[in-house]
Amino acid sequence: MNATPRSDRTRVAIVGAGPAGLMLSHLLALAGIDNVVIDVRERADIETTLRAGILEQGTVDLMTTTGVGDRLLAEGKRHEGIAIRSRGASRRIDFPALTGRAVHLYPQHEVLKDLIAARLAAGGDLRFGVRDVGVQDVMSESPSVRFTEADGTRVVLSCAVVAGCDGSQGVCRTAVPRDRRTDYFHAYPHGWFGILAEAPTSADELVYTHSDRGFALISSRTPTVQRMYFQCDPAEDPSGWDDARIWAELRARVDGDDFVLREGPIVQRGVIPMRSYVIDPMSHGRLFLAGDAAHTVPPTGAKGLNLAVADVAVLCQALERLFHQGSTELLDSYGRTAADRVWRAQHFSWWMTSMLHTDPGADAFDLRRQLGEIDQITDSVAGSTYLAEAYTGWPIVRTNPDSVVAGAIATTAGRTP
Ligand code: PHB
């Protein structure tokens, strides 16, 4: 091993090539701001790991107006509503009628493929498969990230700013000292049993189901591959479930009226934990956290990727102000601006979860009360508008009118703080 690490230099060192890191790299490059992205995972892992698939209107707008939306528009599917299902019948929430907005179903790993391809085509510096990542000197104006490259070369990457985009298990979050941060954490007493099945589509739009056996969600990937989930114990062992048992459980939850669950071979299965987390503040010196490194939401509201994109849209505007106008003003307020949306999303995700899932200790009163809540939401314009607004996503905040993201979000009803 070399005694002296190689010295590299960039303006923004981005730790993590997930939605936050890659989108930030893409936006910064459009703004002419030099950056390097590192990730401990291999490119193939990043491009194949299965995650959720709903893109808010603002995420779609930002991708299309910045040149990474072609495949999303061609292969993704615009969804103008969802069904809320209970007592064997579905009621539809019509997004455009209530909000003028919609969402797209386009899996997260496809977004990541598009961002990686765009960065590589533009000559971007992405380094996969690195190890021993550490962040240092973030309280100075010349922080750095050290790591070992896939070929064993040790590197110290000096920069002006570190963007911590390495998810909930990454090193960046832990670089904020315990006595300088508050961790807000909530564990739910549920998990989601997720399957991927080779089957035809059961419904044109997502079906969020309440039943006395617990929640179920019918989603889709392609006309021949379906994604479905049902609420389970977070400690459930998926290997104890054969295909017949899984289909019986899903059928028992979604059964009713004329709904037909179309079945087929289950090709992937797993249990997803449900938790909420927010770190406060979202920055420490020259380290700025974005996406899952700063917060986690349960999957019910489909907010994870969208929050990551919204964070970096705000962070990019702040970094443009720093590098183009020499002011740290927007970086100083980054965490507060981003957290405003994060807490709305936490509430929405918690609320959807509480309305549709059965708590382990739930009694008859709790179930009837949930049905009352579902009726209020689905039968009232006021109730369904809240759901539609939150699901399709709040506008991305515009803080810097000179930013490359300003054009994309100017088309939405942006709020200037
Ligand atoms: C998915 O398609 O994987 C999906 C969709 C909506 C959610 C969660 C997951 O709320």
Side-chain angles (χ1 to χ4, degrees):
M1 190 190 273
N2 290 336
T4 319
R6 192 180 75 220
S7 296
D8 289 356
R9 198 159 187 88
T10 190
R11 278 174 143 181
V12 183
I14 301 174
V15 184
L22 289 170
M23 188 55 137
L24 180 63
S25 174
H26 170 63
L27 295 174
L28 289 175
L30 293 179
I33 298 171
D34 187 45
N35 65 84
V36 174
V37 184
I38 63 164
D39 200 295
V40 293
R41 296 167 298 170
E42 296 298 339
R43 177 178 175 185
D45 291 345
I46 294 170
E47 292 189 335
T48 53
T49 303
L50 210 57
R51 291 282 162 83
I54 290 289
L55 308 187
E56 292 175 359
Q57 181 78 58
T59 302
V60 173
D61 292 346
L62 194 59
M63 287 183 66
T64 51
T65 55
T66 62
V68 287
D70 290 354
R71 233 164 45 88
L72 149 66
L73 293 181
E75 293 171 30
K77 190 161 172 268
R78 183 178 153 94
H79 280 218
E80 299 197 334
I82 55 169
I84 301 284
R85 191 170 173 80
S86 69
R87 289 153 287 180
S90 290
R91 276 168 292 177
R92 182 168 188 261
I93 311 281
D94 183 330
F95 297 150
L98 295 164
T99 66
R101 296 156 76 81
V103 297
H104 265 70
L105 183 64
Y106 187 63
Q108 173 165 320
H109 65 272
E110 301 293 346
V111 174
L112 300 181
K113 276 190 209 166
D114 295 342
L115 287 169
I116 290 172
R119 290 305 297 124
L120 294 177
D125 189 344
L126 311 181
R127 305 184 197 179
F128 300 105
V130 307
R131 55 184 194 271
D132 310 326
V133 179
V135 172
Q136 38 198 44
D137 302 325
V138 294
M139 297 314 284
S140 78
E141 288 193 5
S142 47
S144 58
V145 178
R146 57 170 171 69
F147 53 92
T148 304
E149 290 191 337
D151 68 1
T153 309
R154 287 193 299 140
V155 176
V156 174
L157 176 62
S158 305
C159 55
V161 167
V162 178
C165 305
D166 54 348
S168 58
Q169 307 298 317
V171 299
C172 289
R173 185 190 282 183
T174 59
V176 184
R178 285 213 167 271
D179 61 351
R180 300 296 299 276
R181 68 182 211 234
T182 306
D183 297 286
Y184 296 94
F185 181 74
H186 181 79
Y188 300 79
H190 330 293
W192 272 17
F193 197 117
I195 63 160
L196 202 60
E198 286 171 354
T201 312
S202 292
D204 287 340
E205 294 176 340
L206 271 60
V207 182
Y208 287 79
T209 308
H210 172 278
S211 83
D212 54 10
R213 298 179 69 89
F215 172 76
L217 171 61
I218 309 301
S219 182
S220 182
R221 285 293 176 267
T222 69
T224 54
V225 178
Q226 310 311 320
R227 183 80 170 136
M228 303 181 190
Y229 305 91
F230 61 89
Q231 174 193 341
C232 65
D233 189 300
E236 189 66 57
D237 174 10
S239 67
W241 289 70
D242 62 15
D243 284 22
R245 185 174 172 212
I246 291 172
W247 288 119
E249 188 59 47
L250 275 165
R251 266 198 317 273
R253 296 187 191 200
V254 301
D255 248 3
D257 58 23
D258 49 0
F259 189 87
V260 179
L261 189 64
R262 320 264 305 263
E263 302 174 17
I266 294 171
V267 291
Q268 212 172 308
R269 69 192 65 189
V271 171
I272 303 158
M274 296 181 75
R275 46 180 68 120
S276 285
Y277 171 80
V278 183
I279 192 170
D280 179 37
M282 283 172 59
S283 63
H284 183 61
R286 286 293 183 107
L287 168 67
F288 296 87
L289 301 174
D292 278 7
H295 40 72
T296 313
V297 283
T300 325
K303 288 278 167 261
L305 172 143
N306 295 294
L307 280 180
V309 169
D311 281 353
V312 300
V314 174
L315 185 55
C316 180
Q317 295 180 73
L319 290 168
E320 286 176 82
R321 179 63 60 80
L322 173 71
F323 292 116
H324 294 154
Q325 286 160 301
S327 164
T328 61
E329 173 209 8
L330 293 180
L331 275 180
D332 296 340
S333 57
Y334 159 70
R336 285 192 301 281
T337 306
D340 179 87
R341 183 192 197 89
V342 169
W343 280 110
R344 286 164 201 248
Q346 288 292 5
H347 173 73
F348 176 65
S349 308
W350 169 89
W351 171 73
M352 284 279 276
T353 305
S354 72
M355 180 169 70
L356 298 170
H357 290 64
T358 313
D359 275 347
D363 57 19
F365 172 85
D366 294 317
L367 287 173
R368 294 304 297 263
R369 183 194 55 72
Q370 282 180 313
L371 297 178
E373 186 176 13
I374 290 168
D375 289 344
Q376 269 187 86
I377 293 302
T378 53
D379 294 353
S380 128
V381 172
S384 51
T385 302
Y386 167 64
L387 195 157
E389 245 175 30
Y391 198 91
T392 56
W394 308 277
I396 289 170
V397 179
R398 180 177 172 172
T399 56
N400 179 353
D402 303 319
S403 163
V404 294
V405 298
I409 59 186
T411 57
T412 68
R415 202 163 42 88
T416 313

